[in-house]
Amino acid sequence: MKRVQLSALCGTLEECLDELTAAETMKGDNAVDCDKCGPKKDTTYRTFFTSLPQILVLNIARITFDLETLERVKKNPRIAFPERLNMSRYTEEAASATGDAAMGNVPGCSYELFGVQIHQGSAACGHYYCFVQDMTGKWFKFNDDRVSSFDEADLEDECFGGEDYDRAARLGKSWEKSYNAYMLFY
């Protein structure tokens, strides 16, 4: 099992992973000192996965520290995630390859979603519950001591976060859902 923290909150999981693995050029004052190369050199730095686990756990870092208010805050933007995830393009093999690997066809990089942990609340307090798919493909909601069937078609509404249109209509103003995916299990 490997846990990956996604700090950049983008519209989709794939965009979050793109941000995590994007190349960064280190130049000027940020140029890299190298004992073998001599003086500072401009360098491109990139994060990628050198190996992938059988079970991939992705932590969506929704709780962060606001440097302006000096408080912990929870970010609730909508982040869509797929039921099937191909991690090929985020691997070392794809980064340095041509052909099938460069096209995102690295063997052993396909995952299927089987669990979502939800955080409901704020950065100061909240409640956790989860949705889990069993070996037969049936989904369940685990909330404390209550276990109930769950319709897979409701994953988007229950897990992606973002605007709560029903509540916004009742209140007459924009309102974000306080419940959203915190951890994804593939």
Side-chain angles (χ1 to χ4, degrees):
M1 182 171 77
K2 183 171 278 192
R3 180 181 171 270
V4 179
Q5 182 167 321
L6 302 172
S7 299
L9 302 182
C10 303
T12 68
L13 176 61
E14 292 89 341
E15 289 171 354
C16 293
L17 289 165
D18 287 341
E19 187 72 24
L20 177 72
T21 59
E24 178 184 351
T25 302
M26 315 275 291
K27 59 183 178 181
D29 289 342
N30 289 334
V32 174
D33 267 328
C34 176
D35 293 338
K36 294 179 184 176
C37 307
K40 285 188 172 191
K41 300 273 185 190
D42 291 352
T43 305
T44 299
Y45 171 81
R46 178 156 184 234
T47 299
F48 48 77
F49 294 89
T50 56
S51 65
L52 288 165
Q54 185 175 352
I55 296 173
L56 180 67
V57 180
L58 299 171
N59 173 237
I60 301 173
R62 291 186 179 272
I63 297 175
T64 187
F65 188 76
D66 186 325
L67 292 173
E68 290 183 23
T69 63
L70 300 178
E71 295 177 327
R72 288 173 33 133
V73 294
K74 181 179 177 196
K75 306 284 186 176
N76 295 307
R78 182 181 194 279
I79 301 175
F81 50 86
E83 291 184 44
R84 287 178 178 69
L85 177 65
N86 186 332
M87 291 290 291
S88 292
R89 71 181 195 218
Y90 312 111
T91 64
E92 179 179 25
E93 189 174 342
S96 60
T98 57
D100 278 353
M103 298 300 290
N105 297 322
V106 178
C109 295
S110 294
Y111 290 91
E112 190 163 332
L113 182 72
F114 69 89
V116 182
Q117 181 187 38
I118 303 295
H119 179 266
Q120 179 179 12
S122 68
C125 64
H127 177 69
Y128 292 94
Y129 57 96
C130 64
F131 300 106
V132 178
Q133 184 181 39
D134 72 6
M135 299 301 280
T136 67
K138 188 168 170 64
W139 282 85
F140 294 92
K141 179 178 181 178
F142 290 80
N143 191 347
D144 293 335
D145 62 347
R146 295 177 306 278
V147 178
S148 57
S149 292
F150 177 72
D151 186 348
E152 180 180 358
D154 293 332
L155 274 173
E156 179 177 349
D157 186 52
E158 292 288 332
C159 303
F160 287 8
E163 188 78 21
D164 187 339
Y165 297 108
D166 293 336
R167 194 168 194 184
R170 286 193 315 272
L171 298 174
K173 64 178 184 174
S174 179
W175 197 271
E176 283 187 322
K177 294 177 181 177
S178 66
Y179 56 93
N180 40 50
Y182 188 69
M183 295 187 82
L184 304 173
F185 296 83
Y186 284 95

